């Protein structure tokens, strides 16, 4: 049986590298977090619950569970991504008011993210 050799083009290799880099970047991030407490609907269409353990992220799929750890206090909370944002430069995640309370944060804080599923 004779098989053809696989030919990798530069575009295919570059695309594969970008895919792996995007996955790694989204699975472990650190940066500034903020919180929000108002709104009627989230980007996935559900009603916004300000006291829920939810968050907004720019690129993670809806329903993804993420452990958010406050680098200053060491406290952490598991949130579910159900919205898009933050829309402020330099921030990596927007937490619902309930998530922010669980972390003990007031305004903004430096956090690390770890994707759980």
């Amino acid at each position: 049986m004779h098989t053809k050799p696989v030919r990798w083009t530069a575009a295919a290799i570059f695309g594969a590298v970008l895919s792996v880099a995007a996955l790694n970047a989204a699975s472990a991030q650190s940066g500034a977090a903020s919180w929000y407490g108002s709104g009627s609907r989230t980007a996935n269409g559900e009603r916004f619950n300000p006291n829920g353990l939810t968050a907004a992220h720019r690129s993670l799929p809806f329903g993804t569970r993420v452990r958010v750890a406050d680098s200053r206090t060491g406290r952490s909370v598991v949130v579910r991504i159900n919205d898009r944002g933050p829309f402020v430069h330099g921030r990596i995640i927007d937490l619902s008011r309930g998530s922010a309370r669980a972390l003990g944060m007031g305004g903004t804080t430096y956090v690390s993210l770890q994707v759980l599923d």
Side-chain angles (χ1 to χ4, degrees):
M1 177 180 208
H2 179 44
T3 59
K4 282 183 140 184
V6 176
R7 289 191 168 196
W8 288 90
T9 64
I13 293 170
F14 187 67
V17 169
L18 284 180
S19 296
V20 170
L23 178 62
N24 288 338
S27 65
Q29 288 183 322
S30 57
S34 54
W35 66 274
Y36 66 117
S38 63
S40 56
R41 296 269 174 206
T42 62
N44 73 350
E46 67 187 52
R47 275 182 71 155
F48 176 67
N49 178 4
N51 297 314
L53 297 179
T54 58
H57 191 274
R58 287 187 187 97
S59 61
L60 289 174
F62 294 135
T64 302
R65 298 206 180 275
V66 178
R67 180 179 310 280
V68 180
D70 187 328
S71 302
R72 184 177 43 90
T73 64
R75 294 172 78 172
S76 67
V77 64
V78 176
V79 299
R80 181 177 53 89
I81 302 299
N82 71 340
D83 209 353
R84 290 292 172 229
F87 300 109
V88 176
H89 180 72
R91 297 186 187 164
I92 61 168
I93 195 165
D94 263 343
L95 302 170
S96 66
R97 184 175 58 207
S99 302
R101 281 186 183 159
L103 278 181
M105 66 182 273
T108 62
T109 191
Y110 193 84
V111 298
S112 60
L113 307 182
Q114 178 188 12
V115 174
L116 301 177
D117 52 66

